PDB file of all heavy atoms in Angstrom:
ATOM      1  N   GLY A 517       3.872 -20.342 -11.899  1.00  0.00           N
ATOM      2  CA  GLY A 517       4.993 -19.903 -12.717  1.00  0.00           C
ATOM      3  C   GLY A 517       6.173 -19.598 -11.806  1.00  0.00           C
ATOM      4  O   GLY A 517       6.366 -20.233 -10.772  1.00  0.00           O
ATOM      5  N   ALA A 518       6.952 -18.620 -12.205  1.00  0.00           N
ATOM      6  CA  ALA A 518       8.141 -18.248 -11.433  1.00  0.00           C
ATOM      7  C   ALA A 518       8.395 -16.747 -11.587  1.00  0.00           C
ATOM      8  O   ALA A 518       7.882 -16.105 -12.512  1.00  0.00           O
ATOM      9  CB  ALA A 518       9.356 -19.041 -11.897  1.00  0.00           C
ATOM     10  N   ILE A 519       9.166 -16.212 -10.665  1.00  0.00           N
ATOM     11  CA  ILE A 519       9.635 -14.829 -10.803  1.00  0.00           C
ATOM     12  C   ILE A 519      10.718 -14.809 -11.893  1.00  0.00           C
ATOM     13  O   ILE A 519      11.686 -15.591 -11.823  1.00  0.00           O
ATOM     14  CB  ILE A 519      10.190 -14.302  -9.479  1.00  0.00           C
ATOM     15  CG1 ILE A 519       9.061 -14.174  -8.453  1.00  0.00           C
ATOM     16  CG2 ILE A 519      10.876 -12.955  -9.657  1.00  0.00           C
ATOM     17  CD1 ILE A 519       9.524 -13.741  -7.058  1.00  0.00           C
ATOM     18  N   THR A 520      10.559 -13.953 -12.888  1.00  0.00           N
ATOM     19  CA  THR A 520      11.482 -13.906 -13.992  1.00  0.00           C
ATOM     20  C   THR A 520      12.382 -12.656 -13.967  1.00  0.00           C
ATOM     21  O   THR A 520      13.371 -12.595 -14.693  1.00  0.00           O
ATOM     22  CB  THR A 520      10.757 -13.943 -15.329  1.00  0.00           C
ATOM     23  OG1 THR A 520       9.804 -12.874 -15.375  1.00  0.00           O
ATOM     24  CG2 THR A 520      10.035 -15.277 -15.488  1.00  0.00           C
ATOM     25  N   ALA A 521      12.033 -11.652 -13.144  1.00  0.00           N
ATOM     26  CA  ALA A 521      12.882 -10.467 -13.002  1.00  0.00           C
ATOM     27  C   ALA A 521      12.464  -9.722 -11.749  1.00  0.00           C
ATOM     28  O   ALA A 521      11.345  -9.873 -11.221  1.00  0.00           O
ATOM     29  CB  ALA A 521      12.733  -9.553 -14.206  1.00  0.00           C
ATOM     30  N   LEU A 522      13.404  -8.937 -11.212  1.00  0.00           N
ATOM     31  CA  LEU A 522      13.166  -8.167  -9.992  1.00  0.00           C
ATOM     32  C   LEU A 522      13.281  -6.663 -10.300  1.00  0.00           C
ATOM     33  O   LEU A 522      13.884  -6.259 -11.295  1.00  0.00           O
ATOM     34  CB  LEU A 522      14.196  -8.526  -8.927  1.00  0.00           C
ATOM     35  CG  LEU A 522      14.310 -10.014  -8.529  1.00  0.00           C
ATOM     36  CD1 LEU A 522      15.505 -10.192  -7.594  1.00  0.00           C
ATOM     37  CD2 LEU A 522      13.039 -10.499  -7.864  1.00  0.00           C
ATOM     38  N   ASP A 523      12.654  -5.866  -9.453  1.00  0.00           N
ATOM     39  CA  ASP A 523      12.801  -4.397  -9.477  1.00  0.00           C
ATOM     40  C   ASP A 523      12.432  -3.802 -10.842  1.00  0.00           C
ATOM     41  O   ASP A 523      13.128  -2.944 -11.379  1.00  0.00           O
ATOM     42  CB  ASP A 523      14.230  -4.014  -9.106  1.00  0.00           C
ATOM     43  CG  ASP A 523      14.347  -2.552  -8.681  1.00  0.00           C
ATOM     44  OD1 ASP A 523      13.337  -1.996  -8.232  1.00  0.00           O
ATOM     45  OD2 ASP A 523      15.454  -1.982  -8.806  1.00  0.00           O
ATOM     46  N   ARG A 524      11.335  -4.263 -11.407  1.00  0.00           N
ATOM     47  CA  ARG A 524      10.855  -3.752 -12.677  1.00  0.00           C
ATOM     48  C   ARG A 524      10.096  -2.440 -12.494  1.00  0.00           C
ATOM     49  O   ARG A 524       9.406  -2.237 -11.484  1.00  0.00           O
ATOM     50  CB  ARG A 524       9.940  -4.759 -13.376  1.00  0.00           C
ATOM     51  CG  ARG A 524      10.641  -5.981 -13.915  1.00  0.00           C
ATOM     52  CD  ARG A 524      11.620  -5.623 -15.014  1.00  0.00           C
ATOM     53  NE  ARG A 524      11.862  -6.722 -15.900  1.00  0.00           N
ATOM     54  CZ  ARG A 524      12.954  -6.845 -16.668  1.00  0.00           C
ATOM     55  NH1 ARG A 524      13.891  -5.917 -16.601  1.00  0.00           N
ATOM     56  NH2 ARG A 524      13.108  -7.878 -17.461  1.00  0.00           N
ATOM     57  N   THR A 525      10.190  -1.562 -13.495  1.00  0.00           N
ATOM     58  CA  THR A 525       9.404  -0.328 -13.547  1.00  0.00           C
ATOM     59  C   THR A 525       8.525  -0.399 -14.780  1.00  0.00           C
ATOM     60  O   THR A 525       9.037  -0.668 -15.876  1.00  0.00           O
ATOM     61  CB  THR A 525      10.305   0.928 -13.585  1.00  0.00           C
ATOM     62  OG1 THR A 525      11.040   1.004 -12.376  1.00  0.00           O
ATOM     63  CG2 THR A 525       9.466   2.177 -13.776  1.00  0.00           C
ATOM     64  N   ILE A 526       7.225  -0.157 -14.614  1.00  0.00           N
ATOM     65  CA  ILE A 526       6.298  -0.192 -15.743  1.00  0.00           C
ATOM     66  C   ILE A 526       5.355   1.001 -15.685  1.00  0.00           C
ATOM     67  O   ILE A 526       5.180   1.616 -14.632  1.00  0.00           O
ATOM     68  CB  ILE A 526       5.451  -1.493 -15.767  1.00  0.00           C
ATOM     69  CG1 ILE A 526       4.520  -1.538 -14.549  1.00  0.00           C
ATOM     70  CG2 ILE A 526       6.322  -2.721 -15.838  1.00  0.00           C
ATOM     71  CD1 ILE A 526       3.453  -2.627 -14.633  1.00  0.00           C
ATOM     72  N   THR A 527       4.788   1.344 -16.835  1.00  0.00           N
ATOM     73  CA  THR A 527       3.675   2.291 -16.877  1.00  0.00           C
ATOM     74  C   THR A 527       2.418   1.495 -17.147  1.00  0.00           C
ATOM     75  O   THR A 527       2.285   0.887 -18.208  1.00  0.00           O
ATOM     76  CB  THR A 527       3.881   3.367 -17.971  1.00  0.00           C
ATOM     77  OG1 THR A 527       5.070   4.099 -17.678  1.00  0.00           O
ATOM     78  CG2 THR A 527       2.682   4.293 -18.041  1.00  0.00           C
ATOM     79  N   ALA A 528       1.523   1.469 -16.170  1.00  0.00           N
ATOM     80  CA  ALA A 528       0.293   0.684 -16.258  1.00  0.00           C
ATOM     81  C   ALA A 528      -0.869   1.591 -16.607  1.00  0.00           C
ATOM     82  O   ALA A 528      -0.957   2.716 -16.082  1.00  0.00           O
ATOM     83  CB  ALA A 528       0.024  -0.038 -14.954  1.00  0.00           C
ATOM     84  N   GLY A 529      -1.754   1.119 -17.473  1.00  0.00           N
ATOM     85  CA  GLY A 529      -2.906   1.890 -17.867  1.00  0.00           C
ATOM     86  C   GLY A 529      -4.194   1.251 -17.407  1.00  0.00           C
ATOM     87  O   GLY A 529      -4.326   0.031 -17.393  1.00  0.00           O
ATOM     88  N   ASP A 530      -5.158   2.077 -17.005  1.00  0.00           N
ATOM     89  CA  ASP A 530      -6.496   1.613 -16.621  1.00  0.00           C
ATOM     90  C   ASP A 530      -7.389   1.755 -17.831  1.00  0.00           C
ATOM     91  O   ASP A 530      -7.659   2.862 -18.292  1.00  0.00           O
ATOM     92  CB  ASP A 530      -7.017   2.473 -15.477  1.00  0.00           C
ATOM     93  CG  ASP A 530      -8.349   1.960 -14.927  1.00  0.00           C
ATOM     94  OD1 ASP A 530      -9.223   1.597 -15.744  1.00  0.00           O
ATOM     95  OD2 ASP A 530      -8.530   1.958 -13.690  1.00  0.00           O
ATOM     96  N   ALA A 531      -7.870   0.617 -18.361  1.00  0.00           N
ATOM     97  CA  ALA A 531      -8.685   0.639 -19.571  1.00  0.00           C
ATOM     98  C   ALA A 531      -9.991   1.371 -19.351  1.00  0.00           C
ATOM     99  O   ALA A 531     -10.578   1.890 -20.297  1.00  0.00           O
ATOM    100  CB  ALA A 531      -8.943  -0.776 -20.057  1.00  0.00           C
ATOM    101  N   GLY A 532     -10.497   1.400 -18.107  1.00  0.00           N
ATOM    102  CA  GLY A 532     -11.780   2.034 -17.838  1.00  0.00           C
ATOM    103  C   GLY A 532     -11.709   3.541 -17.802  1.00  0.00           C
ATOM    104  O   GLY A 532     -12.595   4.236 -18.293  1.00  0.00           O
ATOM    105  N   THR A 533     -10.631   4.071 -17.200  1.00  0.00           N
ATOM    106  CA  THR A 533     -10.531   5.530 -17.024  1.00  0.00           C
ATOM    107  C   THR A 533      -9.524   6.178 -17.985  1.00  0.00           C
ATOM    108  O   THR A 533      -9.523   7.376 -18.157  1.00  0.00           O
ATOM    109  CB  THR A 533     -10.107   5.869 -15.598  1.00  0.00           C
ATOM    110  OG1 THR A 533      -8.788   5.384 -15.360  1.00  0.00           O
ATOM    111  CG2 THR A 533     -11.036   5.234 -14.576  1.00  0.00           C
ATOM    112  N   GLY A 534      -8.646   5.356 -18.596  1.00  0.00           N
ATOM    113  CA  GLY A 534      -7.619   5.905 -19.437  1.00  0.00           C
ATOM    114  C   GLY A 534      -6.421   6.475 -18.659  1.00  0.00           C
ATOM    115  O   GLY A 534      -5.452   6.925 -19.241  1.00  0.00           O
ATOM    116  N   ALA A 535      -6.528   6.423 -17.317  1.00  0.00           N
ATOM    117  CA  ALA A 535      -5.442   6.941 -16.498  1.00  0.00           C
ATOM    118  C   ALA A 535      -4.252   5.991 -16.533  1.00  0.00           C
ATOM    119  O   ALA A 535      -4.401   4.797 -16.711  1.00  0.00           O
ATOM    120  CB  ALA A 535      -5.911   7.116 -15.054  1.00  0.00           C
ATOM    121  N   THR A 536      -3.050   6.539 -16.350  1.00  0.00           N
ATOM    122  CA  THR A 536      -1.844   5.739 -16.296  1.00  0.00           C
ATOM    123  C   THR A 536      -1.085   6.057 -15.013  1.00  0.00           C
ATOM    124  O   THR A 536      -1.235   7.131 -14.433  1.00  0.00           O
ATOM    125  CB  THR A 536      -0.936   5.986 -17.498  1.00  0.00           C
ATOM    126  OG1 THR A 536      -0.538   7.360 -17.529  1.00  0.00           O
ATOM    127  CG2 THR A 536      -1.647   5.628 -18.802  1.00  0.00           C
ATOM    128  N   GLU A 537      -0.260   5.111 -14.595  1.00  0.00           N
ATOM    129  CA  GLU A 537       0.591   5.323 -13.444  1.00  0.00           C
ATOM    130  C   GLU A 537       1.876   4.536 -13.628  1.00  0.00           C
ATOM    131  O   GLU A 537       1.887   3.499 -14.272  1.00  0.00           O
ATOM    132  CB  GLU A 537      -0.117   4.861 -12.151  1.00  0.00           C
ATOM    133  CG  GLU A 537      -0.515   3.398 -12.175  1.00  0.00           C
ATOM    134  CD  GLU A 537      -1.485   3.002 -11.064  1.00  0.00           C
ATOM    135  OE1 GLU A 537      -1.866   3.894 -10.293  1.00  0.00           O
ATOM    136  OE2 GLU A 537      -1.855   1.837 -11.006  1.00  0.00           O
ATOM    137  N   THR A 538       2.964   5.087 -13.109  1.00  0.00           N
ATOM    138  CA  THR A 538       4.260   4.416 -13.184  1.00  0.00           C
ATOM    139  C   THR A 538       4.525   3.725 -11.868  1.00  0.00           C
ATOM    140  O   THR A 538       4.547   4.356 -10.822  1.00  0.00           O
ATOM    141  CB  THR A 538       5.380   5.418 -13.498  1.00  0.00           C
ATOM    142  OG1 THR A 538       5.097   6.051 -14.751  1.00  0.00           O
ATOM    143  CG2 THR A 538       6.714   4.719 -13.594  1.00  0.00           C
ATOM    144  N   LEU A 539       4.706   2.410 -11.926  1.00  0.00           N
ATOM    145  CA  LEU A 539       4.934   1.599 -10.740  1.00  0.00           C
ATOM    146  C   LEU A 539       6.363   1.101 -10.719  1.00  0.00           C
ATOM    147  O   LEU A 539       6.907   0.716 -11.767  1.00  0.00           O
ATOM    148  CB  LEU A 539       3.962   0.410 -10.715  1.00  0.00           C
ATOM    149  CG  LEU A 539       2.466   0.740 -10.805  1.00  0.00           C
ATOM    150  CD1 LEU A 539       1.644  -0.538 -10.913  1.00  0.00           C
ATOM    151  CD2 LEU A 539       2.037   1.573  -9.588  1.00  0.00           C
ATOM    152  N   HIS A 540       6.984   1.122  -9.543  1.00  0.00           N
ATOM    153  CA  HIS A 540       8.408   0.792  -9.402  1.00  0.00           C
ATOM    154  C   HIS A 540       8.595  -0.428  -8.506  1.00  0.00           C
ATOM    155  O   HIS A 540       7.730  -0.778  -7.693  1.00  0.00           O
ATOM    156  CB  HIS A 540       9.177   1.965  -8.817  1.00  0.00           C
ATOM    157  CG  HIS A 540       9.046   3.242  -9.591  1.00  0.00           C
ATOM    158  ND1 HIS A 540       9.802   3.528 -10.703  1.00  0.00           N
ATOM    159  CD2 HIS A 540       8.244   4.324  -9.391  1.00  0.00           C
ATOM    160  CE1 HIS A 540       9.477   4.721 -11.165  1.00  0.00           C
ATOM    161  NE2 HIS A 540       8.531   5.225 -10.399  1.00  0.00           N
ATOM    162  N   GLY A 541       9.738  -1.093  -8.691  1.00  0.00           N
ATOM    163  CA  GLY A 541      10.165  -2.158  -7.748  1.00  0.00           C
ATOM    164  C   GLY A 541       9.329  -3.413  -7.856  1.00  0.00           C
ATOM    165  O   GLY A 541       9.202  -4.159  -6.880  1.00  0.00           O
ATOM    166  N   LEU A 542       8.754  -3.722  -9.008  1.00  0.00           N
ATOM    167  CA  LEU A 542       7.821  -4.838  -9.137  1.00  0.00           C
ATOM    168  C   LEU A 542       8.551  -6.155  -9.430  1.00  0.00           C
ATOM    169  O   LEU A 542       9.636  -6.171  -9.994  1.00  0.00           O
ATOM    170  CB  LEU A 542       6.848  -4.576 -10.278  1.00  0.00           C
ATOM    171  CG  LEU A 542       6.020  -3.289 -10.227  1.00  0.00           C
ATOM    172  CD1 LEU A 542       5.102  -3.218 -11.440  1.00  0.00           C
ATOM    173  CD2 LEU A 542       5.208  -3.218  -8.919  1.00  0.00           C
ATOM    174  N   PHE A 543       7.921  -7.264  -9.028  1.00  0.00           N
ATOM    175  CA  PHE A 543       8.302  -8.580  -9.511  1.00  0.00           C
ATOM    176  C   PHE A 543       7.737  -8.766 -10.928  1.00  0.00           C
ATOM    177  O   PHE A 543       6.572  -8.413 -11.178  1.00  0.00           O
ATOM    178  CB  PHE A 543       7.733  -9.707  -8.646  1.00  0.00           C
ATOM    179  CG  PHE A 543       8.289  -9.775  -7.253  1.00  0.00           C
ATOM    180  CD1 PHE A 543       7.461 -10.156  -6.186  1.00  0.00           C
ATOM    181  CD2 PHE A 543       9.609  -9.508  -6.988  1.00  0.00           C
ATOM    182  CE1 PHE A 543       7.953 -10.251  -4.904  1.00  0.00           C
ATOM    183  CE2 PHE A 543      10.126  -9.596  -5.709  1.00  0.00           C
ATOM    184  CZ  PHE A 543       9.298  -9.980  -4.653  1.00  0.00           C
TER     185      PHE A 543
END
Side-chain angles (χ1 to χ4, degrees):
I519 293 176
T520 56
L522 304 173
D523 199 24
R524 287 298 204 202
T525 296
I526 66 169
T527 298
D530 185 318
T533 66
T536 61
E537 58 193 2
T538 300
L539 304 175
H540 304 278
L542 304 180
F543 292 144

